[in-house]
Amino acid sequence: MMASESKAIPKHLAVIMDGNGRWAQRRKRPRIIGHRAGARAVATCIDFCLERGIGALTLFAFSSENWGRPEDEVGGLMKLFVHVLDREIAELHRRGVRIRFIGDRERFSPAIRERMQASETLTAANATLSLNIAASYGGRQDIAAAARALAEDVAAGRIAASDIDEAAVAARVALADLPPPDLLVRTGGDQRISNFLLWQLAYAELWFTDTLWPDLDAATLQRALDEFSGRERRFGLTGSQVAAIDENRA
Ligand code: FPP
């Protein structure tokens, strides 16, 4: 990995889409109106990634904890997910987007699970943009599932306990086939990870904005990219070591 790839655009953008509820509240509208406006911002974000050649985009659409929200909000969100998928999938496919869902899909209704599966199958061979929707996803659950898979491998004699290293865990968490996110954007003013991709975000640059998710536009995303490209990614090394590595590779 080039230590100074900071000059480049991110390979994998991860996004915590926060602020839909407050956007609606400020307009004295029900929260679901904010989520609908948020769906338009999702389209803006996908367009941006396609235009800039960002190869992977992972969106936190629904956390494991979001099931605890009021029933009407959860129901409204589920309807919105179905509606948006049905409306957008053909166009996403045409534009070369590969769509995948990460998280515990068993908790969704059969109708939603079928759509998830169908959209994954339809777009499986696309390679322009890998769009990953984290739905009923939790970072700790992801790591726990990887630990369980490793335990099963050991119990079945496929690997020895002493084989378990970083690479073995990395191969079993979600999105193992993609480069880990190098930039995390969170809208809505809070500065936390909220149990998103805990393992995968270890070296990501973090960028926070007070902009509420439905107000997201290309200029805001460009600010994030500009700041990302100005940051030096040292991966635990010193600045002069990074410069030396870059000189050797040049
Ligand atoms: C967080 O805002 C947002 C969500 C829990 C839902 C995200 C869903 C969308 C953007 C809709 C469409 C998505 C797809 C993938 C089609 P919040 O409700 O927590 O906002 P608040 O912090 O202001 O209450």
Side-chain angles (χ1 to χ4, degrees), residues 120-132:
E120 287 178 338
T121 305
L122 175 71
T123 63
N126 293 342
T128 307
L129 170 66
S130 178
L131 172 63
N132 312 294

Side-chain angles (χ1 to χ4, degrees), residues 16-25 31 34-43 46 59-63 66 69 73 77 80-85 87-88 99 101 131 133-134 186-188 190 192 212-214:
I16 299 179
M17 313 183 285
D18 201 12
N20 294 350
R22 278 165 285 163
W23 187 91
Q25 272 157 9
R31 294 176 59 86
H35 295 314
R36 281 188 206 143
R40 290 194 292 277
V42 168
I46 293 170
L59 300 173
F60 206 2
F62 197 79
S63 73
N66 286 152
R69 289 195 177 194
E73 182 173 349
L77 267 170
L80 180 63
F81 291 148
V82 168
H83 178 70
V84 171
L85 251 189
R87 193 185 59 201
E88 303 294 339
I99 187 161
F101 295 87
L131 172 63
I133 311 285
R186 178 173 186 144
T187 61
D190 288 323
R192 48 178 177 255
L212 301 177
W213 178 253

Side-chain angles (χ1 to χ4, degrees), residues 129-143:
L129 170 66
S130 178
L131 172 63
N132 312 294
I133 311 285
S136 192
Y137 176 85
R140 288 182 171 177
Q141 290 89 328
D142 190 0
I143 295 170

Side-chain angles (χ1 to χ4, degrees), residues 142-156 158-159 164 168 171-173:
D142 190 0
I143 295 170
R148 203 178 316 121
L150 285 164
E152 283 165 5
D153 284 345
V154 172
R158 288 188 288 270
I159 60 170
I164 297 176
R172 287 164 178 84
V173 293

